[in-house]
Amino acid sequence: MMQRFGIPGRLSDLNIENIEIDEMARSAMKIQRLLKNNVRDVSMSDAIFIYTKAI
């Protein structure tokens, strides 16, 4: 469905590079309203791992 509607599937499709991951992870960790409701604790290293996989 993503291809059908032209929705990017990877961060690299949006010209986001590995060098930006640390800053993105730091920013994500500041959004506590989303993190506190997650069933699993998310650490900074978890956030970096997720973004790295999404590149």
Side-chain angles (χ1 to χ4, degrees):
M1 185 185 306
M2 291 172 60
Q3 286 180 330
R4 180 177 174 197
F5 292 105
I7 299 169
R10 313 231 18 104
L11 293 175
S12 57
D13 295 338
L14 298 170
N15 298 318
I16 295 173
E17 299 177 358
N18 285 333
I19 196 166
E20 300 172 83
I21 289 176
D22 285 345
E23 180 60 33
M24 291 171 56
R26 275 193 293 278
S27 294
M29 296 304 292
K30 294 177 185 175
I31 306 173
Q32 289 299 307
R33 67 180 175 80
L34 299 176
L35 294 173
K36 71 179 181 179
N37 292 321
N38 197 12
V39 296
R40 182 179 158 209
D41 288 338
V42 179
S43 68
M44 179 68 162
S45 61
D46 292 330
I48 290 170
F49 177 79
I50 292 166
Y51 282 127
T52 300
K53 289 297 192 178
I55 291 284

